[in-house]
C-alpha cells in the first residue's frame, strides 16, 4: 500500500476501478446512463426489454430475425422444472421472496442440458434460461403463497406482459404492459453495483452462471441495495398524505436520517431513469385509479429537495427507486416483490457481466478476485497467542 | 487512479488490502497461518473443530462451560427442516453437491425464529444453525442420491464424528474421527480468499447471513477455488502409479500446465496445513488399507518439486489441497464431496467475516462494496451510438 495515495482500505472500494468493461457507463456528472454505447433514453423510447437483453448479452442490437429468434428462445424457456412447484409448495408462505429466488434459481439447471460447460454458447443458453425462469418462479411463488392456482406462461405474450399475466391471472392492458416492459429495461444494468460485483466475483472462480446469479440475488436482497425501492414505498405509506410531508421531512432531516429515494452515490443530477419513470408513474396512477402515490411522491420531491437545500446548502436528486415504487405499486404488485422485479430485470446485466468476466476479461487479468486484508488482531501483543489448556483459561 | 501506482485495474485485486480484519493472518513468507492470534499448528495439536469455531465466532478461546454450551447448541441444530429431505428427493441424483448446498442453505432459515434480524446474538444463532445444518444436508444428499436411507444425527458424537456417521451409517473409529476433525479445523479460515470476499460483500449490503453463506458456497464451487482438491484427486487417479509420475510431470511442464496441489499465490513455503495433513494422509492410508494414494502423492511431491526447480529454476511448494485429497479419499469420501467438506468447515470462517463486516467494521467504512470500472466500450466511436430502427440495421 506504500505507494498508493488512494484510500482503498475500508472504503468499500468506492471510486476504485477494479476492471475494464464494455457493458455499461454511468456518467454521474452528466446524468447519463449508457448500455453498450446506447443512451438509456433512446432505449426506453425505442427499444424493448427483450431487445435490450439481446444488446447486453450479444454486444449489439439484433436484426429483425435475430430478435425474433431470441424472443422465441426466451419463450421456450418459460416453463420451469416441475419440482420447483413441489418445493415452493413446501415453503412457509411468509418466506422472503428474495430468499426463495436465491434458493430456486440453481434448480433451473435441470432444464439446461449443458449447464456448467465452459463454452460461451452454453453460458448464453443458461442466461436465457434464467431470464425466463426467474420470472416464472417469482410469479409462481406469489400465487402459491397466496393460495392461488399457478398460471402457466402464455407464449403469445412478450416477456413483460407474460409476467404480469402469470402474476395476476389476467392479461394486462397494452399501456400497463408497456410501462412494465420499460421498467424492466431501466433496471437491466448499472455497471459494478454490489450485486453485479458479486456475480463477477463468483464467476471469476469459474463457478457456473447459475451459482453467480443466485449469489447476485443474495447480494441484491440487502436493505442497502435492492431493498431501497421497498423502503420508498414504506415511507410513502408512513407519510400517507401530502399535508404530512413537511412534518415528516423536518423530522428526518433533524434526526440526521435520509429521505428514501433521494440521493445517489454516483449521479450528481436526477437519475436519468427517474426522469423516465416519473411520467409513467403519473399515468399508471390514472390507469389504476390510485393517483395518490404519484402525487405524494411528486410533492415529496419538491419539498424534500427544497428542505435539503435549505438545511444542508446543497442539492439532492431523485434516484431510480423514487418513482419506481409508486409505479409498481399502482400496477398492483406486492411491495415485497419490488426486489424480485429488480432481479427479473437485472439478471440480463448480471449475465452480461458473468460472460465478460469469464471470456472477454480472462486474458489480461488473473484468475479470480482475491484481495488482501490488513490484519489488526492484537489479542496477545505483537507475537502469537499461547494456547492454554482449557482449565487454565 | 491518477495518484496510484498500484496496479488495481484487472488484477483481481491481488495484493490490495481492501479491509482491516481481526480474524486471520496468512504470513506467506514465514509459512504461518494464524486464526485470531493462534498458530494453526497449535490449534491442530491442541484444539478441536468446535473449539476453533468458537474462537473464530466469539474472538477468544472458550472456558470449559462455554465450550460445552456451544457444543450443545450445535448438537441441537443438527436436525434440519423436514422439507429439505422432500426437496432433496426430487432432485436428479447427478446434481452437483455444491449446487445442492447453495440451494438448500437458505432453507435452514425455517429453523431460525430470528433469521435476518440485525442483532449480533441472532446472527450468531444463524451461524451455528448453518454450521450444523450444512453438515447434515451434505450427508443426507449423499445418502439420498445413492438411494440409501438417511441417517439421523447422533447427539453423542462430536461434529466431525457425527458427520462421518451420517454419511456412512457407521460410527468412525477414534483415529479417523480425529483426523477428520483436524481436517475441518485446518480448512476453517483463510483470510480474504474468493468465497470469503463474496460472503463479506453480500453481507455488506446488509443481506442476512444465509444469503451471504449461500453465495460463498457458490463462489467456492468454482474450479479455481474449492474445486482444486477434486482436481488433485483426479490427477492422482490419472497418474495411477509411481512409475508414471516422471512422464506425467514432463508432459505437464512441457505444455505449460500446472501440477495440481503445487503452488500457492501467497505461501512461499510449504503450506503449513499441508505439513500437518501429510502424516495424517499416511496414517489414514494405513488405516484404510489404501496406502497407494499417500505414496503416490509423496513421490509426486519430491519429483514435482525437483522437476519444477530444474525447469523453472525456482522452488514450488505444496498447498493445502495436495495432501487433503488423499486423506479424504482414504476415508472413503466421494471425490465430488471434497468441496462440500470445504464448505462444512469454512462456514465458520465465513460467518466470522460476515459478523465482522456487519458489526465490527460498520463504523469506519461505507455501507457496501461498490467498486468502479473503466468503461472501454467503443462501439460507435467516442460518442453515444445512434439507435437505428430495426429494419435499418
Amino acid at each position: 500500500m506504500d505507494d498508493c495515495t488512494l484510500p482503498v482500505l475500508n472504503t468499500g472500494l468506492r471510486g476504485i476501478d477494479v476492471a475494464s468493461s464494455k457493458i455499461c457507463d454511468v456518467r454521474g456528472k452528466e446524468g447519463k446512463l449508457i448500455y453498450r454505447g446506447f443512451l438509456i433514453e433512446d432505449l426506453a423510447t425505442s427499444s424493448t426489454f427483450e431487445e435490450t437483453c439481446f444488446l447486453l448479452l450479444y454486444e449489439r442490437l439484433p436484426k429483425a430475425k435475430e430478435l425474433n429468434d431470441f424472443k422465441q428462445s426466451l419463450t421456450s424457456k418459460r416453463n420451469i422444472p416441475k419440482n420447483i412447484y413441489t418445493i415452493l409448495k413446501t415453503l412457509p408462505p411468509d418466506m422472503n421472496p428474495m430468499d426463495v429466488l436465491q434458493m430456486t434459481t440453481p434448480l433451473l439447471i435441470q432444464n439446461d442440458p449443458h449447464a456448467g460447460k465452459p463454452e460461451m454458447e452454453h453460458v448464453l443458453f443458461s442466461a436465457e434460461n434464467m431470464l425466463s425462469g426467474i420470472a416464472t418462479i417469482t410469479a409462481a411463488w406469489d400465487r402459491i403463497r397466496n393460495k392461488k392456482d399457478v398460471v402457466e406462461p402464455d407464449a403469445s405474450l412478450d416477456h413483460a406482459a407474460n409476467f404480469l399475466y402469470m402474476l395476476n391471472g389476467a392479461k394486462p392492458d397494452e399501456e400497463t404492459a408497456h410501462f412494465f416492459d420499460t421498467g424492466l429495461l431501466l433496471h437491466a444494468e448499472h455497471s459494478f453495483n454490489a450485486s453485479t460485483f458479486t456475480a463477477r466475483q463468483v464467476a471469476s472462480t469459474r463457478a457456473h452462471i447459475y451459482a453467480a446469479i443466485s449469489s447476485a440475488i443474495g447480494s441484491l436482497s440487502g436493505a442497502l441495495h435492492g431493498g431501497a425501492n421497498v423502503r420508498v414505498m414504506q415511507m410513502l405509506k408512513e407519510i400517507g398524505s401530502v399535508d404530512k410531508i413537511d412534518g415528516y421531512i423536518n423530522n428526518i432531516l433533524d434526526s440526521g436520517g435520509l429521505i428514501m429515494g433521494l440521493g445517489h452515490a454516483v449521479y450528481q443530477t436526477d437519475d436519468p431513469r427517474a426522469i423516465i419513470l416519473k411520467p409513467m408513474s403519473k399515468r399508471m396512477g390514472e390507469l389504476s385509479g390510485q393517483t395518490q402515490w404519484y402525487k405524494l411522491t411528486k410533492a415529496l420531491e419538491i419539498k424534500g429537495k427544497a428542505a435539503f437545500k435549505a438545511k444542508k446548502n446543497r442539492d439532492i436528486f431523485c434516484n431510480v427507486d423514487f418513482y419506481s415504487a409508486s409505479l409498481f405499486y399502482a400496477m398492483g404488485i406486492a411491495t415485497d416483490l419490488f426486489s424480485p422485479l429488480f432481479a427479473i430485470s437485472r439478471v440480463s446485466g448480471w449475465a452480461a457481466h458473468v460472460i465478460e468476466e469469464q471470456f472477454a476479461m480472462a486474458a489480461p487479468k488473473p484468475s479470480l478476485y482475491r484481495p488482501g486484508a490488513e490484519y489488526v488482531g492484537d489479542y496477545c501483543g505483537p507475537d502469537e497467542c499461547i494456547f492454554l489448556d482449557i482449565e487454565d483459561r
Side-chain angles (χ1 to χ4, degrees), chain A residues 272-289:
Chain A
R273 298 166 297 178
I275 295 169
I276 298 165
L277 286 162
K278 186 172 174 177
M280 288 163 56
S281 165
K282 178 168 192 269
R283 175 67 184 142
M284 197 64 225
E286 292 161 7
L287 279 175
S288 66

Side-chain angles (χ1 to χ4, degrees), chain A residues 208-327:
Chain A
H208 57 56
I209 189 171
Y210 292 91
I213 301 286
S214 171
S215 302
I217 292 169
S219 188
L220 184 64
S221 74
L224 298 180
H225 189 7
N229 52 7
V230 175
R231 293 202 287 169
V232 169
M233 199 62 226
Q234 287 165 342
M235 172 187 68
L236 294 175
K237 287 183 179 176
E238 191 185 332
I239 297 174
S241 61
V242 171
D243 61 302
K244 303 274 172 57
I245 289 177
D246 288 333
Y248 181 85
I249 290 175
N250 288 336
N251 251 339
I252 287 280
L253 292 184
D254 287 347
S255 64
L258 300 168
I259 302 170
M260 293 307 303
L262 292 184
H264 193 279
V266 181
Y267 291 111
Q268 297 166 38
T269 65
D270 278 332
D271 186 318
R273 298 166 297 178
I275 295 169
I276 298 165
L277 286 162
K278 186 172 174 177
M280 288 163 56
S281 165
K282 178 168 192 269
R283 175 67 184 142
M284 197 64 225
E286 292 161 7
L287 279 175
S288 66
Q290 295 187 63
T291 55
Q292 70 269 37
W293 303 113
Y294 168 74
K295 285 180 184 164
L296 190 56
T297 312
K298 189 182 159 202
L300 183 63
E301 179 189 347
I302 295 166
K303 287 169 179 282
K305 283 178 170 178
F308 196 87
K309 181 81 176 180
K311 186 111 186 162
K312 313 245 179 178
N313 201 26
R314 58 186 173 88
D315 292 316
I316 196 165
F317 299 100
C318 301
N319 63 43
V320 68
D321 302 307
F322 197 66
Y323 281 102
S324 72
S326 52
L327 172 71

Side-chain angles (χ1 to χ4, degrees), chain A residues 116 118 123 130 195-216 349-362 365-369:
Chain A
V123 182
M130 281 185 279
S195 56
T196 300
F197 188 42
T198 299
R200 287 190 77 116
Q201 211 204 313
V202 172
S204 78
T205 72
R206 300 303 177 268
H208 57 56
I209 189 171
Y210 292 91
I213 301 286
S214 171
S215 302
W350 291 331
H353 281 277
V354 167
I355 290 166
E356 186 171 83
E357 186 69 38
Q358 293 192 330
F359 297 95
M361 295 288 138
K365 87 174 192 59
S367 50
L368 42 73
Y369 287 97

Side-chain angles (χ1 to χ4, degrees), chain A residues 147-196:
Chain A
K147 313 221 180 307
K148 294 178 184 165
D149 288 337
V150 166
V151 178
E152 296 283 326
D154 182 332
S156 74
L157 298 173
D158 284 346
H159 189 82
N162 175 61
F163 173 76
L164 292 175
Y165 171 66
M166 292 188 297
L167 187 72
N168 299 322
K171 293 183 187 177
D173 66 84
E174 214 166 287
E175 214 172 356
T176 302
H178 173 63
F179 288 159
F180 189 67
D181 181 274
T182 306
L184 292 179
L185 184 158
L186 293 175
H187 286 82
E189 170 53 20
H190 210 254
S191 188
F192 277 48
N193 55 83
S195 56
T196 300

Side-chain angles (χ1 to χ4, degrees), chain A residues 3 30-31 43 110 131 223 243 266 353:
Chain A
D3 299 316
E30 307 161 62
L43 295 170
Q110 297 170 93
L131 262 170
D243 61 302
V266 181
H353 281 277

Side-chain angles (χ1 to χ4, degrees), chain A residues 1-9 11 16:
Chain A
M1 301 297 302
D2 298 340
D3 299 316
C4 186
T5 59
L6 266 181
V8 176
L9 195 65
T11 60
I16 312 290

